Amino acid sequence: MIWALAETVAGAPELYYSIIGIISILTICYIFYPAYKCKKGGLGCTETILAGDKISGGDDVLSLIIPAYNEEERLPIMLDETLVYLNKDRESLTHLFDAAVGNSHQRRKSLMKYEIIVVDDGSSDNTCNVVRKYAATLNSGDVVKLISMHQNVGKGGAVKTGMLRSLGQLCLMVDADGATDITDGLPKLLKDMHTLNDNKERHDTSVPPKSVVFGSRAHLENESSASRSKVRTFLMHAFHFFVKALCSPRIKDTQCGFKLFTRSAAISLFTNLHLRRWAFDTELVVIAERLQVSVSEVGVIWHEIDGSKLDGGKLSLALNLEDVQ
């Protein structure tokens, strides 16, 4: 029957080209519709400002995007450690921020602000209420936003939503478990961002640079202090091999949940991001290379935290077509 159909199509050029045209249109729609649907920040969500002053166009702001799925236990610990550090070291971080965005020559009247964005990815626990209660205790003037996804869209979709709704000149993606030591990682990423932008040839200095700095655990692979489980270590090595072979050899660790983006880089990369679940970070590397976004990698202190959402069964399906729907 198949051969008969093939012979019929081959004998009718108009039918053949019509079928090819329909298949081509459907393929293009399948590839580009997710990006079109998500260009304003992902699937349906509700954004609520829980604390802080309104951010104006002239404010210097560092945005922290924190994707959270059923994180009622780990999120409060992470927020406590993060906010204490950010407030205590605001002055020194402001100097690093200025250097990273090219404002070090300007005399500032006030220190930079923080925009804390927690993206609740359809949690079934008390994550949203935890964020609301935490925001009610803050009086620093920094902004706290809660973005509630209307359904679970995956970590990639949650990060994309938060990034495209953030207002900072620099945007830091940070995991809710606090596995990366922010007191070590943030200064390193800011310094590396400065180096990356300072070495870049810019014909028009009025155009913001497109740059990304990846926090990396690659230097911990052979150190016992990383304290990974054997399963996680095996999966990490296997995944790194395929990323290097199929995507890019430039970044050794794409999966560390600690990445710093300039505003222009965040818009360019996340507007074009399709993958919404695990392994979306690898697509960011591919998109960065295609769009000539500058990328670097810096080692950070990282420790595995109990309660990881990594699922070995789902890992094998990470690049399934379901992820780009």
Side-chain angles (χ1 to χ4, degrees), residues 52-258:
D53 305 322
K54 184 178 180 180
I55 296 175
S56 64
D59 290 336
D60 293 318
V61 179
L62 171 65
S63 297
L64 282 76
I65 291 81
I66 308 168
Y69 177 66
N70 292 341
E71 292 288 359
E72 65 177 355
E73 295 183 1
R74 300 193 297 180
L75 187 59
I77 300 172
M78 177 268 183
L79 288 175
D80 278 336
E81 294 176 350
T82 298
L83 270 297
V84 167
Y85 167 68
L86 292 179
N87 286 319
K88 180 174 67 73
D89 284 32
R90 190 186 296 260
E91 183 173 355
S92 62
L93 290 173
T94 296
H95 294 317
L96 293 175
F97 175 93
D98 286 341
V101 299
N103 289 340
S104 55
H105 62 285
Q106 298 180 4
R107 180 177 297 179
R108 63 166 52 251
K109 298 179 180 179
S110 60
L111 300 178
M112 70 170 173
K113 295 181 179 180
Y114 302 120
E115 180 187 40
I116 312 299
I117 302 177
V118 179
V119 186
D120 175 56
D121 190 20
S123 297
S124 58
D125 66 356
N126 206 34
T127 296
C128 284
N129 287 333
V130 166
V131 179
R132 292 190 182 96
K133 291 179 180 179
Y134 194 89
T137 66
L138 299 181
N139 55 10
S140 62
D142 296 311
V143 173
V144 177
K145 289 182 181 178
L146 173 63
I147 298 178
S148 300
M149 306 305 298
H150 294 169
Q151 61 181 351
N152 179 264
V153 297
K155 184 178 178 180
V159 173
K160 173 174 181 171
T161 301
M163 284 286 176
L164 295 184
R165 289 176 175 267
S166 65
L167 299 174
Q169 289 96 322
L170 294 178
C171 305
L172 178 70
M173 167 190 157
V174 53
D175 281 347
D177 60 4
T180 301
D181 183 353
I182 193 169
T183 66
D184 167 79
L186 182 54
K188 285 182 177 178
L189 266 61
L190 288 169
K191 291 176 183 177
D192 207 63
M193 180 67 77
H194 173 217
T195 302
L196 192 62
N197 290 335
D198 200 43
N199 293 337
K200 183 181 296 186
E201 293 185 8
R202 296 168 60 189
H203 301 290
D204 186 356
T205 56
S206 65
V207 178
K210 295 181 180 180
S211 307
V212 185
V213 180
F214 280 59
S216 174
R217 303 157 298 179
H219 64 295
L220 299 174
E221 289 184 6
N222 297 320
E223 296 181 16
S224 58
S225 61
S227 63
R228 293 189 185 89
S229 65
K230 292 182 179 180
V231 173
R232 193 175 189 123
T233 300
F234 171 77
L235 293 175
M236 178 193 69
H237 284 294
F239 186 76
H240 287 179
F241 171 78
F242 285 109
V243 169
K244 183 176 181 180
L246 301 177
C247 297
S248 172
R250 296 173 59 190
I251 302 298
K252 296 180 180 179
D253 180 12
T254 61
Q255 300 303 296
C256 181
F258 202 77

